[in-house]
Amino acid sequence: MVTGPANPAGGAGSAREVAERVADPELPMLTLADLGVLREVAEAPDGSVTVALTPTYSGCPAMAEMRADVVRSLRAAGYADVRVRTVLDPPWTTDWISAEGRRKLAEHGIAPPGEAPSGQGLPGQARRGPVPLALGGVRRAV
């Protein structure tokens, strides 16, 4: 994650600070940063800004609106050259929701998800992420 110099127009903050304030279009009590979909904000020496977003799932219908809101907010803050790229790997997980985001969800009557369970990893390592599921044949009585 790269954050560059203060906004060239002054006053509104760095590109990262501006992008962190963009509200989620589906859950407006959360910012994209709260939700964990704001992955990276990079400011280049020429003043251009590249923002990386990870959708909550690959077919997320709100991505176009998220992209447009990020571009609109950064341009309004004085950043003329803004690009948004979609990052699918690693895929988004509810573990990326910030503590503040979980608090806001609970405050609005939405049960925030807990962290993904951890299991046995290699010796000395904790395993995080998906829980393996073993599927077997279905037994049918005749």
Side-chain angles (χ1 to χ4, degrees):
M1 195 172 310
V2 178
T3 56
N7 175 346
S14 72
R16 175 83 192 177
E17 292 167 334
V18 172
E20 285 180 345
R21 292 191 296 264
V22 175
D24 178 73
E26 295 177 312
L27 298 167
M29 79 287 281
L30 299 178
T31 65
L32 298 182
D34 290 334
L35 191 55
V37 300
L38 180 66
R39 295 294 301 281
E40 182 179 6
V41 179
E43 294 182 57
D46 67 0
S48 65
V49 177
T50 301
V51 176
L53 298 176
T54 295
T56 55
Y57 67 99
S58 61
C60 177
M63 274 304 288
E65 191 63 29
M66 284 185 217
R67 226 184 254 102
D69 288 348
V70 167
V71 169
R72 188 177 313 111
S73 294
L74 285 164
R75 287 189 178 152
Y79 296 95
D81 185 5
V82 180
R83 295 177 203 98
V84 178
R85 62 186 183 89
T86 302
V87 177
L88 300 176
D89 187 33
W92 179 85
T93 168
T94 57
D95 287 346
W96 294 357
I97 299 173
S98 70
E100 178 70 3
R102 290 174 195 281
R103 185 193 63 74
K104 289 175 184 177
L105 286 170
E107 196 174 87
H108 285 83
I110 300 171
E115 288 194 17
S118 60
Q120 294 294 332
L122 297 173
Q125 293 181 335
R127 187 184 57 74
R128 297 201 36 99
V131 176
L133 176 64
L135 300 175
V138 177
R139 292 185 184 172
R140 298 180 188 210
V142 179

